[in-house]
């Protein structure tokens, strides 16, 4: 099999996967640095030694500037790189330079003859803003080429990627994605996010990605074209984008822009280098500014790549630890428009539960009201609704820790409940079950009061709801966690001796 994709771990819709192409493999989420086949500033060998085992380049530029060489040597030898090479079709350039006689057949045949590992079929980017009529044409054109490529070149060793177009017309995105998946593409790529991102339309980016994800099988890897920006990467990962490509590391470097996790800075106006990558530990702002342009671009490119790589590593670690939501929320604080996007993202909670483990080893942080939409909380609420079963006409609400363990108390004088600041009333024997006992709640989050808990129990059909506990003898020392988890009103109404 020349191609396979295996998901090893997941959180939200983000996943850690292994993408196998031919005899080579990449761990996802992965970002392909985009390299220029003629004027590459950072040598491919250096990219490999930085840990980039896959690169992306443009087959159109190779075709127009180094065709004979490429056909003779193959793309790997041409670029001095034996990792995974992905080629873009150059649909954008074909359009830009009006080279319209170059059809899908020439583009596909060339990519296959130079032994590209992964190749995008000839498409026409929708772009933004765009009229719907034109957007529809880009989808139809890209789809027809994609189908014809798979038919004519499907048996070659090159893995074909179907480009999803449609821009911000979500009905078109859905049709495009569905049709490509149905045509049999093993990997898909979502187009047109660049202008959307340049216009800070991050909430639209969320809508675009989730629209595409809904239309394709969960097992199909999804590439997001040109989304190499540290601010949006965690959110794109959490929405299920498996691979990215970035030319931004070098484009930013050329104009003297320095990436940080919190945003992009201008070198000229900086005093310090807030980074410990090999570039930043050996130099200073002054020294970088004194370099000639190609040298400075190269140093800044390497730094920018380290930032992007760091951010991806952080996302992967967060997936393993089950705290991808936390990192997405943290990054959203960097820009008001990202915050907007985060609220859009939080609204997708029920879909995000799909890849979220039901049981996590780490406790849950509920730091803001929007954290109440965490998929872990939604799943727990569903499980709780199933677990609540009325066996008596009266209910007692326990306020001391550990009472739920005393089975003898159940049924005696009514069903025993506790009130959780977030989940409300729950059967007391579940006190130490995940995530009831493992949730840290911030003071800014609206919480259940004891009264609200009692009211909810009455709504469940209990005639009589009383307070239990406070007199049950042996007390355990309450953990810091449960102390913080208790709501203020719960605490103030506690009559227990201290
Ligand atoms: Zn650095």
């Amino acid at each position: 099999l020349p191609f396979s994709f295996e998901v090893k771990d997941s959180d939200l819709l983000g996943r850690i996967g292994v993408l196998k192409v031919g005899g080579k493999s990449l761990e996802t989420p992965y970002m392909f640095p985009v390299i220029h086949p003629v004027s590459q500033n950072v040598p491919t060998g250096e990219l490999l030694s930085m840990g980039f085992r896959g690169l992306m380049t443009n087959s159109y530029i190779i075709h127009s500037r180094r065709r004979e060489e490429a056909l003779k040597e193959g793309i790997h030898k041409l670029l001095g790189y034996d990792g995974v090479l992905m080629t873009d079709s150059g649909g954008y350039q074909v359009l830009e330079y009006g080279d319209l006689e170059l059809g899908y057949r020439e583009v596909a045949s060339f990519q296959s003859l130079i032994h590209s590992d992964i190749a995008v079929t000839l498409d026409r980017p929708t772009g933004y803003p765009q009229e719907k009529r034109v957007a529809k044409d880009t989808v139809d054109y890209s789809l027809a080429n994609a189908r014809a490529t798979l038919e004519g070149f499907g048996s070659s060793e090159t893995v074909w990627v179907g480009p999803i177009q449609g821009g911000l017309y979500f009905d078109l995105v859905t049709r495009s994605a569905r049709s490509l998946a149905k045509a049999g593409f093993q990997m898909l790529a979502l187009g047109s996010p660049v202008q959307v991102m340049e216009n800070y339309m991050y909430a639209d980016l969320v809508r675009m990605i989730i629209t595409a994800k809904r239309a394709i099988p969960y097992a199909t890897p999804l590439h997001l074209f040109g989304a190499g920006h540290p601010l949006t990467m965690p959110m794109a990962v959490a929405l299920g984008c498996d691979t990215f490509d970035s030319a931004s590391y070098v484009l930013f470097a050329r104009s003297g822009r320095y990436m940080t996790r919190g945003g992009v800075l201008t070198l000229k106006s900086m005093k310090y280098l807030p980074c410990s990558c090999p570039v930043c530990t050996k130099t200073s702002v002054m020294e970088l500014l004194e370099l000639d342009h190609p040298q400075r671009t190269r140093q800044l490119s390497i730094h920018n790549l380290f930032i992007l790589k760091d951010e991806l590593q952080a996302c992967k670690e967060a997936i393993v630890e089950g705290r991808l939501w936390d990192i997405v929320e943290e990054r959203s604080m960097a820009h008001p428009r990202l915050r907007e996007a985060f609220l859009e993202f939080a609204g997708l909670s029920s879909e995000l539960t799909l890849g979220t483990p039901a049981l996590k080893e780490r406790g849950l942080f509920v730091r803001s009201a929007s954290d109440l939409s965490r998929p872990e909380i939604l799943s727990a609420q569903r499980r709780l609704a199933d677990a609540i079963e009325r066996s008596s006409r009266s209910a007692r609400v326990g306020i001391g820790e550990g009472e739920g363990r005393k089975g003898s108390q159940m049924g005696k004088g009514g069903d025993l409940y506790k009130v959780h600041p977030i989940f409300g009333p729950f059967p007391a024997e579940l006190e130490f079950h995940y995530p009831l006992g493992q949730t840290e709640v911030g003071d800014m989050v609206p919480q259940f009061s004891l009264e609200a808990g009692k009211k909810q129990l009455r709504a469940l059909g209990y005639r009589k709801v009383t307070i239990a506990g406070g007199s049950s003898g042996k007390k355990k020392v309450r953990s810091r966690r449960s102390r913080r988890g208790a709501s203020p009103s719960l605490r103030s109404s506690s009559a227990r001796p201290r």
Side-chain angles (χ1 to χ4, degrees):
L1 258 176
F3 182 88
S4 69
F5 179 64
E6 187 197 345
V7 174
K8 289 168 72 182
D9 221 326
S10 70
D11 192 25
L12 311 178
L13 291 178
R15 59 254 186 115
I16 291 180
V18 179
L19 193 69
K20 283 195 177 144
V21 189
K24 304 165 219 175
S25 70
L26 286 176
E27 193 176 68
T28 64
Y30 181 78
M31 191 208 71
F32 293 85
V34 173
I35 62 160
H36 196 285
V38 181
S39 57
Q40 176 57 17
N41 187 283
V42 182
T44 51
E46 192 159 348
L47 292 170
L48 190 65
S49 71
M50 286 171 72
F52 290 105
R53 300 174 67 179
L55 302 178
M56 188 165 180
T57 191
N58 189 310
S59 71
Y60 179 86
I61 300 174
I62 299 179
H63 186 268
S64 57
R65 317 249 316 249
R66 301 182 74 180
R67 180 174 6 194
E68 297 311 319
E69 236 181 311
L71 287 170
K72 205 172 124 208
E73 299 181 339
I75 190 174
H76 294 86
K77 194 161 173 226
L78 181 82
L79 300 174
Y81 184 81
D82 60 4
V84 177
L85 279 170
M86 178 170 178
T87 50
D88 194 359
S89 61
Y92 180 79
Q93 284 79 7
V94 168
L95 199 63
E96 179 121 321
Y97 305 128
D99 207 352
L100 298 174
E101 80 276 9
L102 204 60
Y104 82 87
R105 196 185 303 276
E106 292 75 32
V107 169
S109 145
F110 182 68
Q111 292 180 106
S112 160
L113 286 172
I114 62 174
H115 304 293
S116 173
D117 295 299
I118 305 176
V120 182
T121 62
L122 181 62
D123 62 342
R124 187 167 292 164
T126 305
Y128 174 86
Q130 189 58 279
E131 279 175 52
K132 180 136 189 193
R133 183 180 50 80
V134 180
K136 186 181 168 295
D137 287 347
T138 65
V139 167
D140 291 340
Y141 171 87
S142 306
L143 191 57
N145 281 341
R147 283 188 179 129
T149 301
L150 211 52
E151 227 164 83
F153 300 88
S155 58
S156 89
E157 279 178 19
T158 297
V159 172
W160 299 104
V161 176
I164 303 169
Q165 294 296 345
L168 290 182
Y169 298 105
F170 300 130
D171 55 331
L172 293 180
V173 171
T174 301
R175 181 163 68 84
S176 174
R178 246 187 224 150
S179 309
L180 290 167
K182 207 173 149 202
F185 279 92
Q186 294 172 296
M187 184 168 176
L188 298 170
L190 180 58
S192 304
V194 176
Q195 288 113 320
V196 170
M197 284 168 62
E198 280 170 357
N199 288 294
Y200 299 94
M201 297 160 69
Y202 303 126
D204 284 310
L205 182 66
V206 171
R207 289 181 205 117
M208 242 174 98
I209 299 173
I210 195 69
T211 303
K213 284 295 285 190
R214 280 173 189 149
I216 67 175
Y218 180 77
T220 304
L222 180 66
H223 180 86
L224 185 61
F225 278 120
H229 198 293
L231 283 185
T232 46
M233 203 170 264
M235 200 174 287
V237 166
L239 286 167
C241 296
D242 302 291
T243 56
F244 304 86
D245 62 273
S246 168
S248 58
Y249 75 95
V250 56
L251 298 177
F252 284 8
R254 259 185 229 148
S255 57
R257 281 177 291 168
Y258 179 100
M259 286 183 183
T260 73
R261 278 188 175 183
V264 180
L265 307 175
T266 307
L267 187 67
K268 260 195 325 221
S269 54
M270 291 170 71
K271 270 192 169 169
Y272 302 97
L273 299 175
C275 170
S276 302
C277 81
V279 170
C280 299
T281 41
K282 285 195 203 100
T283 188
S284 66
V285 174
M286 274 309 255
E287 279 171 11
L288 282 175
L289 287 172
E290 279 162 9
L291 292 174
D292 63 18
H293 190 257
Q295 277 303 320
R296 181 167 61 241
T297 300
R298 181 176 165 164
Q299 296 301 314
L300 281 179
S301 291
I302 294 172
H303 157 81
N304 287 343
L305 280 170
F306 270 109
I307 291 290
L308 290 165
K309 189 169 171 250
D310 265 15
E311 194 59 2
L312 265 185
Q313 293 295 103
C315 289
K316 283 157 86 170
E317 183 59 22
I319 291 174
V320 172
E321 289 188 21
R323 42 179 294 276
L324 191 54
W325 177 282
D326 302 67
I327 191 172
V328 174
E329 175 161 37
E330 278 160 35
R331 297 298 184 269
S332 78
M333 295 297 184
H335 196 284
R337 302 296 296 272
L338 263 181
R339 191 69 199 156
E340 241 173 69
F342 179 72
L343 296 179
E344 184 73 27
F345 173 83
L348 301 171
S349 184
S350 135
E351 283 170 275
L352 299 175
T353 53
L354 184 64
T356 307
L359 188 68
K360 290 187 171 181
E361 290 188 7
R362 277 175 62 113
L364 277 189
F365 289 162
V366 182
R367 302 177 285 193
S368 66
S370 41
D371 279 348
L372 292 173
S373 316
R374 288 187 73 125
E376 298 93 336
I377 293 182
L378 206 72
S379 312
Q381 276 164 340
R382 285 180 188 155
R383 290 198 304 274
L384 262 183
D386 291 340
I388 291 182
E389 219 176 296
R390 194 165 61 83
S391 68
S392 161
R393 297 174 113 193
S394 56
R396 291 172 304 136
V397 180
I399 50 180
E401 177 166 321
E403 281 165 296
R405 283 177 175 173
K406 296 178 191 126
S408 64
Q409 290 201 343
M410 282 307 288
K412 198 179 86 184
D415 299 344
L416 186 61
Y417 283 89
K418 305 204 81 166
V419 176
H420 190 278
I422 286 176
F423 298 102
F426 63 93
E429 72 267 22
L430 299 181
E431 182 173 2
F432 299 102
H433 284 226
Y434 179 86
L436 290 165
Q438 296 84 5
T439 306
E440 294 261 12
V441 187
D443 290 341
M444 302 298 283
V445 181
Q447 301 184 13
F448 260 94
S449 66
L450 187 58
E451 275 316 305
K454 284 166 73 180
K455 201 170 153 195
Q456 187 156 325
L457 284 170
R458 276 185 215 104
L460 285 170
Y462 287 106
R463 295 261 179 91
K464 195 177 145 209
V465 181
T466 54
I467 301 292
S471 59
S472 55
K474 196 168 83 182
K475 284 279 179 249
K476 283 179 65 177
V477 177
R478 291 203 287 168
S479 72
R480 182 175 160 270
R481 183 163 279 164
S482 62
R483 220 188 311 133
R484 289 181 129 214
S487 72
S489 52
L490 199 58
R491 230 178 293 159
S492 60
S493 58
S494 157
R496 72 165 72 215
R498 296 201 183 249

